[in-house]
Amino acid sequence: MITGAEPYGRRFRTLRVSLINTCNLSCVYCACGQDEMRDHLALQKEKALPASEILQIVECLHGQLDLQSLRFTGGEPLLYKDLEFVVRGAAALGIEDIAMTTNAVLLAHLAAPLKKAGLKSVNISLDAISEETFFKMSKRRGLDKILEGIEKAGACGLEVKLNSVIMKGINEDQVLPLLEYAFDRGLKIRFLEIMAMGHLHEQAEQYFFSRSEILSLVETRHRITPLHRSPAATASYWQAQDAGVFGIIANESAPFCSDCDRLRLDSFGNIYGCLSSNNPIDVRKATQPQELNNMLAMAMAQKQTLKFTGSELSMMHIGG
Ligand code: 5AD
């Protein structure tokens, strides 16, 4: 076993596995244009890894890193046909916390079987609570299915958190309605500052809605007090008096690189030590534990020390 030690004392303890790099939504911050999407889908078909191979990689990584948590992402992980099998396999490896990030479009029917397979929690992306703004953000209809998915997930015992990316001029008017939706149901919600990723790599600034702008909006309704940030957490949290807890993932305003413990595996078998890195490391080429350790050290060296610097990779590829 290696510790993955590096000058800042960071270790990989959390693995994010992108199972499939396609999605059934087309959110403005994530999806690119039609032509690029067609090429992208063709590539996906050619190279996506089968479930057994993903589990093999996860087992090797767990053997080296003693992972505390594993999060399935995508693209949209509910589109991966062997998801239940992979969740069951990952849980059987003894990784304590098995989680998923999803848009929940297909969750209503899958929540219970996934819970049974060993899934503990879901982070559900929900960027709007009005149908019209939801369409502006995701270019799709079907908010009702997502809301049903959220309810079913909670009802079958999955821990549920909501993630809302806030973009200036598109959905900033949703901060308060989303907050009230979450508070009414006792759900934790986290607002995300937009990150300069994928096709927005060069133009994220125009959509940037900052942590302080989000807090100002919330303070028009609630008295809030900051809570202590847990080590390696992406979000900082606040308690709203007489209401609930909400968080902000402020990549830009309050970066959290210094104690980041995340490693990412894409759907082709490449690892990345950082969202800022566009240098895939193909772990399928490792035939000995030492080779894998060297690759993990390379991935660790990709980590930023100050803040996320932007990447041409979209979350659609590398997972959230
Ligand atoms: N900036 C911020 N958040 C993003 N997500 C996807 N792309 C971006 C981006 N460019 C979010 C998704 C999801 C989580 C995995 O990351 O909406 O909630």
Side-chain angles (χ1 to χ4, degrees), residues 200-274:
L200 284 187
H201 181 218
E202 306 286 351
Q203 343 144 25
E205 221 169 282
Q206 62 179 296
Y207 297 112
F208 185 71
F209 196 74
S210 70
R211 173 170 91 151
S212 63
E213 289 171 295
I214 294 167
L215 287 175
S216 299
L217 276 178
V218 177
E219 281 175 317
T220 62
R221 281 272 174 93
H222 297 280
R223 284 185 59 184
I224 59 174
T225 36
L227 299 172
H228 187 71
R229 175 184 175 264
S230 319
T234 52
S236 296
Y237 287 96
W238 284 260
Q239 173 75 51
Q241 205 179 344
D242 302 324
V245 171
F246 70 97
I248 302 184
I249 302 183
N251 272 283
E252 185 65 29
S253 307
F256 37 83
C257 299
S258 64
D259 58 359
C260 175
D261 67 355
R262 287 168 283 283
L263 175 70
R264 289 180 159 80
L265 174 68
D266 74 10
S267 54
F268 306 140
N270 302 303
I271 55 168
Y272 300 79
C274 181

